[in-house]
Amino acid sequence: EIVMTQSPATLSVSPGERATLSCRASQSVSSNLAWYQQKPGQAPRLLIYGASTRATGIPARFSGSGSGTEFTLTISSLQSEDFAVYYCQQYNNWPSFGGGTKVEIK
Amino acid sequence: QVQLQQWGAGLLKPSETLSLTCAVYGGSFSGYYWSWIRQPPGKGLEWIGEINHSGSTNYNPSLKSRVTISVDTSKNQFSLKLSSVTAADTAVYYCARGGYPSRFRELRNAYQQFDYWGQGTLVTVSS
């Protein structure tokens, strides 16, 4: 099993500021990495796949980077609707998810 | 517009079998892999397994002994059965579509991200 570790567990950010979320894989997953946003009571929403490709309809303020074992999701200027939990997921092997980062209002 | 609608029993007793079905509306059913994913209350996501239109399956090794995923192509539906449930199986269960067309995914020799999700079904296991 490939273990995905996300940090920090909670990130406190003010609206308009930049948020940087990290995800680390226990072994290389190449660029087979996706990011999701989840709000309370909703299904996850795909943001990024292939480590850096935005999914359909995702605003440009969301960007992904990295390859191998280290990945980053950056939200350039946080909007009110961006406060949520974010998960990374690898799919180089059978899929596994990180434990999530909660982005909360500072 | 692809939509996934899921249903099934929400309250089970220990040792019973969980059964959920997901119907797919819009888009190509035969061209993709279809997965089940679960999320215990307040916790993270766990992939359960997947199936394609021809019935080829892959399962999470930690659940494989108890999981069966099946497909009904005549109805564009796929189903999950999880046997011998315990309280640890209490979770919101989601159905989801694999984000790559099947042929592309198989050429890549990897799995995929999930681009369309069902609304989720809370399944509680309690005596």
Side-chain angles (χ1 to χ4, degrees), chain A residues 14-59:
Chain A
S14 299
E17 289 188 340
R18 173 186 295 257
T20 302
L21 289 66
S22 296
C23 175
R24 173 177 293 179
S26 60
Q27 62 189 77
S28 177
V29 299
S30 186
S31 294
N32 295 315
L33 191 284
W35 290 94
Y36 300 84
Q37 176 193 70
Q38 188 178 34
K39 297 180 179 178
Q42 296 184 14
R45 173 194 182 196
L46 177 66
L47 300 175
I48 301 284
Y49 64 95
S52 61
T53 301
R54 278 190 301 277
T56 303
I58 301 303

Side-chain angles (χ1 to χ4, degrees), chain A residues 32 36 38 87 89 91, chain B residues 39 94 100 108 111-112 114:
Chain A
N32 295 315
Y36 300 84
Q38 188 178 34
Y87 293 97
Q89 175 230 332
Y91 49 94
Chain B
Q39 185 173 36
Y94 294 101
Y100 292 131
R108 296 183 73 251
Y111 287 75
Q112 74 274 292
F114 305 104

Side-chain angles (χ1 to χ4, degrees), chain A residues 1 7-8 16 23 30 33 36 48 60-61 66 73 76 84 91 96-98 103:
Chain A
E1 175 185 3
S7 61
C23 175
S30 186
L33 191 284
Y36 300 84
I48 301 284
R61 64 180 182 272
L73 174 70
S76 60
Y91 49 94
S96 56
F97 294 83
V103 178

Side-chain angles (χ1 to χ4, degrees), chain A residues 49-79:
Chain A
Y49 64 95
S52 61
T53 301
R54 278 190 301 277
T56 303
I58 301 303
R61 64 180 182 272
F62 291 92
S63 64
S65 64
S67 66
T69 61
E70 300 284 344
F71 300 89
T72 300
L73 174 70
T74 302
I75 311 171
S76 60
S77 176
L78 272 161
Q79 306 298 302

Side-chain angles (χ1 to χ4, degrees), chain B residues 79-102:
Chain B
S79 297
L80 168 70
K81 291 190 185 300
L82 179 67
S83 64
S84 304
V85 297
T86 69
D89 295 310
T90 294
V92 176
Y93 286 74
Y94 294 101
C95 56
R97 190 183 84 165
Y100 292 131
S102 296

